[in-house]
PDB file of all heavy atoms in Angstrom:
ATOM      1  N   ASP A 350       0.847  -1.195   0.000  1.00  0.00           N
ATOM      2  CA  ASP A 350       0.000   0.000   0.000  1.00  0.00           C
ATOM      3  C   ASP A 350       0.879   1.240   0.000  1.00  0.00           C
ATOM      4  O   ASP A 350       1.408   1.637   1.037  1.00  0.00           O
ATOM      5  CB  ASP A 350      -0.913  -0.008   1.229  1.00  0.00           C
ATOM      6  CG  ASP A 350      -1.963   1.095   1.189  1.00  0.00           C
ATOM      7  OD1 ASP A 350      -1.860   1.987   0.327  1.00  0.00           O
ATOM      8  OD2 ASP A 350      -2.889   1.066   2.029  1.00  0.00           O
ATOM      9  N   ASP A 351       1.028   1.864  -1.170  1.00  0.00           N
ATOM     10  CA  ASP A 351       1.865   3.060  -1.248  1.00  0.00           C
ATOM     11  C   ASP A 351       1.112   4.313  -0.792  1.00  0.00           C
ATOM     12  O   ASP A 351       1.651   5.418  -0.839  1.00  0.00           O
ATOM     13  CB  ASP A 351       2.447   3.250  -2.648  1.00  0.00           C
ATOM     14  CG  ASP A 351       1.392   3.375  -3.728  1.00  0.00           C
ATOM     15  OD1 ASP A 351       0.185   3.415  -3.404  1.00  0.00           O
ATOM     16  OD2 ASP A 351       1.772   3.411  -4.912  1.00  0.00           O
ATOM     17  N   GLN A 352      -0.121   4.109  -0.321  1.00  0.00           N
ATOM     18  CA  GLN A 352      -0.897   5.204   0.267  1.00  0.00           C
ATOM     19  C   GLN A 352      -1.162   4.928   1.757  1.00  0.00           C
ATOM     20  O   GLN A 352      -2.129   5.419   2.324  1.00  0.00           O
ATOM     21  CB  GLN A 352      -2.226   5.358  -0.478  1.00  0.00           C
ATOM     22  CG  GLN A 352      -2.086   5.619  -1.969  1.00  0.00           C
ATOM     23  CD  GLN A 352      -1.373   6.925  -2.265  1.00  0.00           C
ATOM     24  OE1 GLN A 352      -1.701   7.953  -1.666  1.00  0.00           O
ATOM     25  NE2 GLN A 352      -0.418   6.909  -3.171  1.00  0.00           N
ATOM     26  N   PHE A 353      -0.281   4.165   2.374  1.00  0.00           N
ATOM     27  CA  PHE A 353      -0.413   3.807   3.785  1.00  0.00           C
ATOM     28  C   PHE A 353      -0.339   5.072   4.645  1.00  0.00           C
ATOM     29  O   PHE A 353       0.532   5.913   4.445  1.00  0.00           O
ATOM     30  CB  PHE A 353       0.718   2.849   4.161  1.00  0.00           C
ATOM     31  CG  PHE A 353       0.621   2.256   5.536  1.00  0.00           C
ATOM     32  CD1 PHE A 353      -0.223   1.199   5.796  1.00  0.00           C
ATOM     33  CD2 PHE A 353       1.401   2.760   6.572  1.00  0.00           C
ATOM     34  CE1 PHE A 353      -0.297   0.626   7.064  1.00  0.00           C
ATOM     35  CE2 PHE A 353       1.336   2.209   7.838  1.00  0.00           C
ATOM     36  CZ  PHE A 353       0.479   1.138   8.086  1.00  0.00           C
ATOM     37  N   THR A 354      -1.270   5.197   5.612  1.00  0.00           N
ATOM     38  CA  THR A 354      -1.309   6.383   6.456  1.00  0.00           C
ATOM     39  C   THR A 354      -1.545   6.000   7.921  1.00  0.00           C
ATOM     40  O   THR A 354      -1.962   4.876   8.244  1.00  0.00           O
ATOM     41  CB  THR A 354      -2.453   7.327   6.038  1.00  0.00           C
ATOM     42  OG1 THR A 354      -3.708   6.649   6.251  1.00  0.00           O
ATOM     43  CG2 THR A 354      -2.320   7.751   4.585  1.00  0.00           C
ATOM     44  N   PHE A 355      -1.306   6.971   8.795  1.00  0.00           N
ATOM     45  CA  PHE A 355      -1.588   6.779  10.221  1.00  0.00           C
ATOM     46  C   PHE A 355      -3.075   6.509  10.418  1.00  0.00           C
ATOM     47  O   PHE A 355      -3.468   5.686  11.265  1.00  0.00           O
ATOM     48  CB  PHE A 355      -1.165   8.016  11.006  1.00  0.00           C
ATOM     49  CG  PHE A 355      -1.314   7.871  12.490  1.00  0.00           C
ATOM     50  CD1 PHE A 355      -0.298   7.297  13.245  1.00  0.00           C
ATOM     51  CD2 PHE A 355      -2.467   8.303  13.135  1.00  0.00           C
ATOM     52  CE1 PHE A 355      -0.440   7.156  14.632  1.00  0.00           C
ATOM     53  CE2 PHE A 355      -2.618   8.165  14.510  1.00  0.00           C
ATOM     54  CZ  PHE A 355      -1.598   7.586  15.252  1.00  0.00           C
ATOM     55  N   ALA A 356      -3.915   7.174   9.639  1.00  0.00           N
ATOM     56  CA  ALA A 356      -5.361   6.978   9.775  1.00  0.00           C
ATOM     57  C   ALA A 356      -5.749   5.545   9.434  1.00  0.00           C
ATOM     58  O   ALA A 356      -6.586   4.929  10.116  1.00  0.00           O
ATOM     59  CB  ALA A 356      -6.106   7.964   8.884  1.00  0.00           C
ATOM     60  N   LYS A 357      -5.154   4.985   8.376  1.00  0.00           N
ATOM     61  CA  LYS A 357      -5.442   3.598   8.020  1.00  0.00           C
ATOM     62  C   LYS A 357      -4.969   2.645   9.104  1.00  0.00           C
ATOM     63  O   LYS A 357      -5.643   1.665   9.439  1.00  0.00           O
ATOM     64  CB  LYS A 357      -4.774   3.244   6.688  1.00  0.00           C
ATOM     65  CG  LYS A 357      -5.398   3.878   5.461  1.00  0.00           C
ATOM     66  CD  LYS A 357      -4.680   3.395   4.204  1.00  0.00           C
ATOM     67  CE  LYS A 357      -5.288   3.989   2.946  1.00  0.00           C
ATOM     68  NZ  LYS A 357      -4.587   3.500   1.716  1.00  0.00           N
ATOM     69  N   LEU A 358      -3.779   2.923   9.655  1.00  0.00           N
ATOM     70  CA  LEU A 358      -3.242   2.087  10.724  1.00  0.00           C
ATOM     71  C   LEU A 358      -4.177   2.113  11.934  1.00  0.00           C
ATOM     72  O   LEU A 358      -4.480   1.069  12.532  1.00  0.00           O
ATOM     73  CB  LEU A 358      -1.850   2.578  11.102  1.00  0.00           C
ATOM     74  CG  LEU A 358      -1.150   1.875  12.270  1.00  0.00           C
ATOM     75  CD1 LEU A 358      -0.957   0.393  11.986  1.00  0.00           C
ATOM     76  CD2 LEU A 358       0.200   2.540  12.550  1.00  0.00           C
ATOM     77  N   SER A 359      -4.651   3.283  12.289  1.00  0.00           N
ATOM     78  CA  SER A 359      -5.560   3.414  13.433  1.00  0.00           C
ATOM     79  C   SER A 359      -6.857   2.653  13.190  1.00  0.00           C
ATOM     80  O   SER A 359      -7.394   1.988  14.092  1.00  0.00           O
ATOM     81  CB  SER A 359      -5.870   4.891  13.695  1.00  0.00           C
ATOM     82  OG  SER A 359      -4.702   5.589  14.055  1.00  0.00           O
ATOM     83  N   ARG A 360      -7.356   2.745  11.956  1.00  0.00           N
ATOM     84  CA  ARG A 360      -8.613   2.051  11.634  1.00  0.00           C
ATOM     85  C   ARG A 360      -8.422   0.537  11.714  1.00  0.00           C
ATOM     86  O   ARG A 360      -9.274  -0.177  12.265  1.00  0.00           O
ATOM     87  CB  ARG A 360      -9.075   2.470  10.239  1.00  0.00           C
ATOM     88  CG  ARG A 360     -10.462   2.006   9.880  1.00  0.00           C
ATOM     89  CD  ARG A 360     -10.884   2.565   8.537  1.00  0.00           C
ATOM     90  NE  ARG A 360     -12.128   1.967   8.073  1.00  0.00           N
ATOM     91  CZ  ARG A 360     -12.608   2.107   6.853  1.00  0.00           C
ATOM     92  NH1 ARG A 360     -11.932   2.854   5.977  1.00  0.00           N
ATOM     93  NH2 ARG A 360     -13.732   1.521   6.508  1.00  0.00           N
ATOM     94  N   ALA A 361      -7.302   0.049  11.201  1.00  0.00           N
ATOM     95  CA  ALA A 361      -7.011  -1.381  11.263  1.00  0.00           C
ATOM     96  C   ALA A 361      -6.952  -1.848  12.713  1.00  0.00           C
ATOM     97  O   ALA A 361      -7.522  -2.898  13.070  1.00  0.00           O
ATOM     98  CB  ALA A 361      -5.699  -1.686  10.550  1.00  0.00           C
ATOM     99  N   CYS A 362      -6.282  -1.078  13.550  1.00  0.00           N
ATOM    100  CA  CYS A 362      -6.168  -1.445  14.963  1.00  0.00           C
ATOM    101  C   CYS A 362      -7.530  -1.465  15.654  1.00  0.00           C
ATOM    102  O   CYS A 362      -7.786  -2.308  16.529  1.00  0.00           O
ATOM    103  CB  CYS A 362      -5.232  -0.481  15.683  1.00  0.00           C
ATOM    104  SG  CYS A 362      -3.505  -0.656  15.195  1.00  0.00           S
ATOM    105  N   GLY A 363      -8.400  -0.549  15.247  1.00  0.00           N
ATOM    106  CA  GLY A 363      -9.744  -0.536  15.819  1.00  0.00           C
ATOM    107  C   GLY A 363     -10.495  -1.825  15.512  1.00  0.00           C
ATOM    108  O   GLY A 363     -11.136  -2.412  16.397  1.00  0.00           O
ATOM    109  N   TYR A 364     -10.417  -2.276  14.267  1.00  0.00           N
ATOM    110  CA  TYR A 364     -11.080  -3.527  13.909  1.00  0.00           C
ATOM    111  C   TYR A 364     -10.459  -4.715  14.649  1.00  0.00           C
ATOM    112  O   TYR A 364     -11.159  -5.642  15.062  1.00  0.00           O
ATOM    113  CB  TYR A 364     -10.987  -3.771  12.403  1.00  0.00           C
ATOM    114  CG  TYR A 364     -11.746  -2.773  11.562  1.00  0.00           C
ATOM    115  CD1 TYR A 364     -11.150  -2.160  10.463  1.00  0.00           C
ATOM    116  CD2 TYR A 364     -13.071  -2.451  11.858  1.00  0.00           C
ATOM    117  CE1 TYR A 364     -11.846  -1.254   9.677  1.00  0.00           C
ATOM    118  CE2 TYR A 364     -13.782  -1.540  11.082  1.00  0.00           C
ATOM    119  CZ  TYR A 364     -13.152  -0.944   9.996  1.00  0.00           C
ATOM    120  OH  TYR A 364     -13.855  -0.040   9.226  1.00  0.00           O
ATOM    121  N   LEU A 365      -9.149  -4.689  14.820  1.00  0.00           N
ATOM    122  CA  LEU A 365      -8.448  -5.828  15.414  1.00  0.00           C
ATOM    123  C   LEU A 365      -8.632  -5.918  16.925  1.00  0.00           C
ATOM    124  O   LEU A 365      -8.210  -6.902  17.546  1.00  0.00           O
ATOM    125  CB  LEU A 365      -6.955  -5.765  15.063  1.00  0.00           C
ATOM    126  CG  LEU A 365      -6.647  -6.059  13.591  1.00  0.00           C
ATOM    127  CD1 LEU A 365      -5.220  -5.655  13.252  1.00  0.00           C
ATOM    128  CD2 LEU A 365      -6.879  -7.528  13.274  1.00  0.00           C
ATOM    129  N   ARG A 366      -9.268  -4.947  17.530  1.00  0.00           N
ATOM    130  CA  ARG A 366      -9.615  -5.070  18.952  1.00  0.00           C
ATOM    131  C   ARG A 366     -10.663  -6.160  19.151  1.00  0.00           C
ATOM    132  O   ARG A 366     -10.801  -6.701  20.255  1.00  0.00           O
ATOM    133  CB  ARG A 366     -10.123  -3.729  19.481  1.00  0.00           C
ATOM    134  CG  ARG A 366      -9.051  -2.653  19.562  1.00  0.00           C
ATOM    135  CD  ARG A 366      -9.601  -1.369  20.136  1.00  0.00           C
ATOM    136  NE  ARG A 366     -10.033  -1.540  21.527  1.00  0.00           N
ATOM    137  CZ  ARG A 366     -10.658  -0.594  22.230  1.00  0.00           C
ATOM    138  NH1 ARG A 366     -10.925   0.585  21.662  1.00  0.00           N
ATOM    139  NH2 ARG A 366     -11.014  -0.823  23.468  1.00  0.00           N
ATOM    140  N   ASP A 367     -11.392  -6.473  18.085  1.00  0.00           N
ATOM    141  CA  ASP A 367     -12.363  -7.567  18.133  1.00  0.00           C
ATOM    142  C   ASP A 367     -11.605  -8.879  17.953  1.00  0.00           C
ATOM    143  O   ASP A 367     -10.988  -9.102  16.906  1.00  0.00           O
ATOM    144  CB  ASP A 367     -13.383  -7.387  17.003  1.00  0.00           C
ATOM    145  CG  ASP A 367     -14.444  -8.486  16.982  1.00  0.00           C
ATOM    146  OD1 ASP A 367     -14.300  -9.480  17.729  1.00  0.00           O
ATOM    147  OD2 ASP A 367     -15.397  -8.356  16.200  1.00  0.00           O
ATOM    148  N   PRO A 368     -11.623  -9.790  18.913  1.00  0.00           N
ATOM    149  CA  PRO A 368     -10.865 -11.040  18.785  1.00  0.00           C
ATOM    150  C   PRO A 368     -11.336 -11.933  17.655  1.00  0.00           C
ATOM    151  O   PRO A 368     -10.608 -12.837  17.235  1.00  0.00           O
ATOM    152  CB  PRO A 368     -11.071 -11.717  20.155  1.00  0.00           C
ATOM    153  CG  PRO A 368     -12.284 -11.091  20.741  1.00  0.00           C
ATOM    154  CD  PRO A 368     -12.313  -9.691  20.218  1.00  0.00           C
ATOM    155  N   GLN A 369     -12.550 -11.672  17.134  1.00  0.00           N
ATOM    156  CA  GLN A 369     -13.045 -12.458  16.002  1.00  0.00           C
ATOM    157  C   GLN A 369     -12.520 -11.937  14.664  1.00  0.00           C
ATOM    158  O   GLN A 369     -12.741 -12.574  13.632  1.00  0.00           O
ATOM    159  CB  GLN A 369     -14.572 -12.474  15.987  1.00  0.00           C
ATOM    160  CG  GLN A 369     -15.186 -13.306  17.097  1.00  0.00           C
ATOM    161  CD  GLN A 369     -16.677 -13.481  16.887  1.00  0.00           C
ATOM    162  OE1 GLN A 369     -17.468 -12.536  17.023  1.00  0.00           O
ATOM    163  NE2 GLN A 369     -17.072 -14.687  16.538  1.00  0.00           N
ATOM    164  N   CYS A 370     -11.862 -10.802  14.680  1.00  0.00           N
ATOM    165  CA  CYS A 370     -11.283 -10.227  13.456  1.00  0.00           C
ATOM    166  C   CYS A 370      -9.855 -10.738  13.313  1.00  0.00           C
ATOM    167  O   CYS A 370      -9.028 -10.560  14.202  1.00  0.00           O
ATOM    168  CB  CYS A 370     -11.297  -8.700  13.531  1.00  0.00           C
ATOM    169  SG  CYS A 370     -10.642  -7.881  12.064  1.00  0.00           S
ATOM    170  N   ILE A 371      -9.555 -11.387  12.176  1.00  0.00           N
ATOM    171  CA  ILE A 371      -8.227 -11.947  11.967  1.00  0.00           C
ATOM    172  C   ILE A 371      -7.343 -10.963  11.193  1.00  0.00           C
ATOM    173  O   ILE A 371      -7.842 -10.125  10.432  1.00  0.00           O
ATOM    174  CB  ILE A 371      -8.276 -13.302  11.224  1.00  0.00           C
ATOM    175  CG1 ILE A 371      -8.920 -13.154   9.832  1.00  0.00           C
ATOM    176  CG2 ILE A 371      -9.010 -14.346  12.057  1.00  0.00           C
ATOM    177  CD1 ILE A 371      -8.875 -14.433   9.001  1.00  0.00           C
ATOM    178  N   LEU A 372      -6.042 -11.061  11.417  1.00  0.00           N
ATOM    179  CA  LEU A 372      -5.059 -10.241  10.711  1.00  0.00           C
ATOM    180  C   LEU A 372      -4.313 -11.130   9.724  1.00  0.00           C
ATOM    181  O   LEU A 372      -3.714 -12.136  10.113  1.00  0.00           O
ATOM    182  CB  LEU A 372      -4.086  -9.614  11.701  1.00  0.00           C
ATOM    183  CG  LEU A 372      -2.896  -8.831  11.112  1.00  0.00           C
ATOM    184  CD1 LEU A 372      -3.372  -7.679  10.225  1.00  0.00           C
ATOM    185  CD2 LEU A 372      -1.992  -8.313  12.233  1.00  0.00           C
ATOM    186  N   VAL A 373      -4.350 -10.761   8.438  1.00  0.00           N
ATOM    187  CA  VAL A 373      -3.738 -11.547   7.371  1.00  0.00           C
ATOM    188  C   VAL A 373      -2.839 -10.636   6.553  1.00  0.00           C
ATOM    189  O   VAL A 373      -3.194  -9.480   6.272  1.00  0.00           O
ATOM    190  CB  VAL A 373      -4.820 -12.185   6.463  1.00  0.00           C
ATOM    191  CG1 VAL A 373      -4.186 -12.953   5.311  1.00  0.00           C
ATOM    192  CG2 VAL A 373      -5.730 -13.098   7.283  1.00  0.00           C
ATOM    193  N   ALA A 374      -1.674 -11.142   6.164  1.00  0.00           N
ATOM    194  CA  ALA A 374      -0.755 -10.405   5.292  1.00  0.00           C
ATOM    195  C   ALA A 374      -0.561 -11.180   4.003  1.00  0.00           C
ATOM    196  O   ALA A 374      -0.474 -12.416   4.014  1.00  0.00           O
ATOM    197  CB  ALA A 374       0.589 -10.185   5.983  1.00  0.00           C
ATOM    198  N   THR A 375      -0.475 -10.454   2.895  1.00  0.00           N
ATOM    199  CA  THR A 375      -0.288 -11.131   1.608  1.00  0.00           C
ATOM    200  C   THR A 375       1.083 -11.771   1.500  1.00  0.00           C
ATOM    201  O   THR A 375       1.237 -12.827   0.883  1.00  0.00           O
ATOM    202  CB  THR A 375      -0.472 -10.151   0.434  1.00  0.00           C
ATOM    203  OG1 THR A 375       0.484  -9.084   0.548  1.00  0.00           O
ATOM    204  CG2 THR A 375      -1.881  -9.577   0.400  1.00  0.00           C
ATOM    205  N   ASP A 376       2.114 -11.143   2.094  1.00  0.00           N
ATOM    206  CA  ASP A 376       3.480 -11.642   1.944  1.00  0.00           C
ATOM    207  C   ASP A 376       4.364 -10.997   3.003  1.00  0.00           C
ATOM    208  O   ASP A 376       3.983  -9.990   3.596  1.00  0.00           O
ATOM    209  CB  ASP A 376       4.022 -11.334   0.543  1.00  0.00           C
ATOM    210  CG  ASP A 376       4.166  -9.841   0.296  1.00  0.00           C
ATOM    211  OD1 ASP A 376       3.184  -9.192  -0.131  1.00  0.00           O
ATOM    212  OD2 ASP A 376       5.262  -9.313   0.552  1.00  0.00           O
ATOM    213  N   PRO A 377       5.563 -11.569   3.219  1.00  0.00           N
ATOM    214  CA  PRO A 377       6.447 -11.017   4.253  1.00  0.00           C
ATOM    215  C   PRO A 377       7.560 -10.125   3.714  1.00  0.00           C
ATOM    216  O   PRO A 377       8.428  -9.715   4.484  1.00  0.00           O
ATOM    217  CB  PRO A 377       7.051 -12.293   4.853  1.00  0.00           C
ATOM    218  CG  PRO A 377       7.208 -13.201   3.668  1.00  0.00           C
ATOM    219  CD  PRO A 377       6.025 -12.895   2.763  1.00  0.00           C
ATOM    220  N   ASP A 378       7.566  -9.826   2.408  1.00  0.00           N
ATOM    221  CA  ASP A 378       8.696  -9.114   1.812  1.00  0.00           C
ATOM    222  C   ASP A 378       8.912  -7.765   2.498  1.00  0.00           C
ATOM    223  O   ASP A 378       8.020  -6.902   2.463  1.00  0.00           O
ATOM    224  CB  ASP A 378       8.473  -8.885   0.318  1.00  0.00           C
ATOM    225  CG  ASP A 378       8.498 -10.178  -0.481  1.00  0.00           C
ATOM    226  OD1 ASP A 378       8.586 -11.256   0.137  1.00  0.00           O
ATOM    227  OD2 ASP A 378       8.423 -10.113  -1.721  1.00  0.00           O
ATOM    228  N   PRO A 379      10.074  -7.521   3.100  1.00  0.00           N
ATOM    229  CA  PRO A 379      10.284  -6.270   3.841  1.00  0.00           C
ATOM    230  C   PRO A 379      10.508  -5.065   2.935  1.00  0.00           C
ATOM    231  O   PRO A 379      10.228  -3.937   3.328  1.00  0.00           O
ATOM    232  CB  PRO A 379      11.540  -6.561   4.670  1.00  0.00           C
ATOM    233  CG  PRO A 379      12.277  -7.598   3.875  1.00  0.00           C
ATOM    234  CD  PRO A 379      11.221  -8.439   3.218  1.00  0.00           C
ATOM    235  N   TRP A 380      11.025  -5.292   1.740  1.00  0.00           N
ATOM    236  CA  TRP A 380      11.314  -4.196   0.819  1.00  0.00           C
ATOM    237  C   TRP A 380      11.372  -4.740  -0.603  1.00  0.00           C
ATOM    238  O   TRP A 380      11.450  -5.954  -0.821  1.00  0.00           O
ATOM    239  CB  TRP A 380      12.639  -3.502   1.168  1.00  0.00           C
ATOM    240  CG  TRP A 380      13.820  -4.446   1.269  1.00  0.00           C
ATOM    241  CD1 TRP A 380      14.259  -5.096   2.398  1.00  0.00           C
ATOM    242  CD2 TRP A 380      14.683  -4.874   0.208  1.00  0.00           C
ATOM    243  NE1 TRP A 380      15.339  -5.896   2.108  1.00  0.00           N
ATOM    244  CE2 TRP A 380      15.629  -5.778   0.778  1.00  0.00           C
ATOM    245  CE3 TRP A 380      14.766  -4.587  -1.147  1.00  0.00           C
ATOM    246  CZ2 TRP A 380      16.621  -6.393   0.017  1.00  0.00           C
ATOM    247  CZ3 TRP A 380      15.756  -5.198  -1.906  1.00  0.00           C
ATOM    248  CH2 TRP A 380      16.682  -6.090  -1.336  1.00  0.00           C
TER     249      TRP A 380
END
């Protein structure tokens, strides 16, 4: 996501406070 922002990060964290919401990543490539 080349448009990654603090607002998006905050929104993601809000959803993840729900234990039924899973966190998934497409890949681990650091750069």
Side-chain angles (χ1 to χ4, degrees):
D350 188 349
D351 59 5
Q352 302 297 313
F353 187 79
T354 64
F355 185 86
K357 288 183 179 181
L358 176 60
S359 297
R360 189 175 171 191
C362 290
Y364 294 132
L365 289 166
R366 291 182 64 186
D367 180 351
Q369 289 190 290
C370 181
I371 60 175
L372 174 59
V373 177
T375 59
D376 65 273
D378 292 5
W380 54 270

